[in-house]
Amino acid sequence: MIPTIMMLLLRRYRKVNPEGYVLLRKRVSRIARIMFLLVIATGIANAAKAQNRQLTYTVMKGDSEVGSMYVSEVISGSRINLKLNLDVTIKFLFSFSAKGVEEAVYDNGVLVYSYFYQKLNGSEKVNKRHRYVDKTYVVNNKGSQEKVNTAAIRYNMICLYTHEPVNASRIYSDKYQKYLAIQKIADRHYKIVFPDGNYSEYFYEGGTCTRVEVNNSLFNVVMLLKK
């Protein structure tokens, strides 16, 4: 109804003031272009925001906060970049510190690069990089290279924080260079047992990991997502 009335008013104005009508039409056209560009820019900004995620976890031992962990996910076209930073210091009967960095780059759903670094009590324990070269993985382990005989990796440990393993029965561990079984305990609750006997349990809401219970021979901690 309103567009029809506007058209009638414009036609009447055109007959009364042809020159003014031309100027008005140019102004309306200019405003329409500006509005269109604003809509496009807003859409791009919203899309970029939706494709970048930052997750912050508080590491707890009992009632005490002993560290923090940060996980980021950046999606750009067919590529997904994931990064994790962990820093934990526990002082109880003994002092224990752990620092970790994990990175993963996926292209079209395939892991093409990963980095796993772990330092315990100031001593470097693990420093590995995976690269996908000629349909195989070349692992650089503290300077030495070896190949991993496995098909294209589509789900490794760092993915657990941003993607619930709904239909996955196993997951690749960059640290151990092998697949590990994913045990489903209940809805949105999973468990992974590591080759050294330690295990972790993961809990989800809306596909995102909100809680991790780490059961280690040296310490037990809980990682809670800040909301």
Side-chain angles (χ1 to χ4, degrees):
M1 183 67 181
I2 293 177
T4 302
I5 295 174
M6 291 295 295
M7 288 297 295
L8 291 174
L9 290 175
L10 285 172
R11 288 176 181 174
R12 184 176 299 175
Y13 182 69
R14 182 180 182 181
K15 292 179 180 179
V16 176
N17 190 348
E19 294 181 358
Y21 171 80
V22 172
L23 292 175
L24 178 62
R25 184 175 179 179
K26 289 181 178 180
R27 290 177 182 176
V28 171
S29 179
R30 188 180 301 114
I31 293 173
R33 286 198 299 269
I34 293 173
M35 292 299 295
F36 176 75
L37 292 174
L38 286 174
V39 170
I40 295 298
T42 302
I44 292 174
N46 289 336
K49 183 177 180 181
Q51 292 182 351
N52 290 269
R53 283 203 289 172
Q54 301 286 336
L55 305 177
T56 301
Y57 296 83
T58 301
V59 184
M60 305 292 296
K61 180 170 177 57
D63 296 327
S64 301
E65 183 176 334
V66 296
S68 57
M69 183 173 69
Y70 304 93
V71 179
S72 66
E73 179 187 53
V74 178
I75 301 175
S76 178
S78 63
R79 293 176 74 88
I80 300 176
N81 291 265
L82 298 163
K83 187 170 184 179
L84 178 153
N85 284 279
L86 171 70
D87 192 346
V88 175
T89 300
I90 298 174
K91 294 182 179 180
F92 189 51
L93 297 176
F94 58 90
S95 180
F96 177 84
S97 65
K99 296 182 182 295
V101 177
E102 294 183 46
E103 295 181 27
V105 179
Y106 284 84
D107 194 359
N108 288 314
V110 175
L111 181 71
V112 295
Y113 170 81
S114 73
Y115 174 53
F116 186 96
Y117 178 85
Q118 187 179 71
K119 180 184 285 188
L120 302 178
N121 289 330
S123 177
E124 183 181 281
K125 296 298 182 182
V126 186
N127 189 337
K128 294 184 178 182
R129 298 178 190 271
H130 283 61
R131 295 185 186 278
Y132 194 48
V133 182
D134 296 329
K135 297 185 179 181
T136 189
Y137 287 94
V138 178
V139 181
N140 187 309
N141 185 7
K142 296 183 179 180
S144 63
Q145 289 192 351
E146 59 182 303
K147 292 184 177 180
V148 176
N149 185 23
T150 181
I153 299 168
R154 298 183 180 276
Y155 194 57
N156 72 332
M157 293 296 295
I158 193 173
C159 296
L160 285 168
Y161 299 96
T162 56
H163 298 84
E164 180 181 353
V166 178
N167 298 313
S169 60
R170 64 176 190 163
I171 189 167
Y172 185 79
S173 168
D174 303 84
K175 178 180 179 179
Y176 296 106
Q177 296 177 212
K178 63 190 300 184
Y179 280 93
L180 305 178
I182 300 176
Q183 303 176 31
K184 184 171 183 178
I185 306 301
D187 286 343
R188 300 181 296 280
H189 179 189
Y190 306 83
K191 178 179 179 179
I192 296 177
V193 180
F194 302 101
D196 57 9
N198 298 321
Y199 66 93
S200 294
E201 297 186 37
Y202 302 82
F203 301 79
Y204 294 82
E205 289 182 15
T208 300
C209 184
T210 57
R211 178 186 179 95
V212 184
E213 296 180 0
V214 179
N215 293 273
N216 192 286
S217 58
L218 297 177
F219 61 91
N220 295 337
V221 297
V222 176
M223 302 176 182
L224 300 173
L225 177 65
K226 288 186 178 182
K227 298 180 180 180

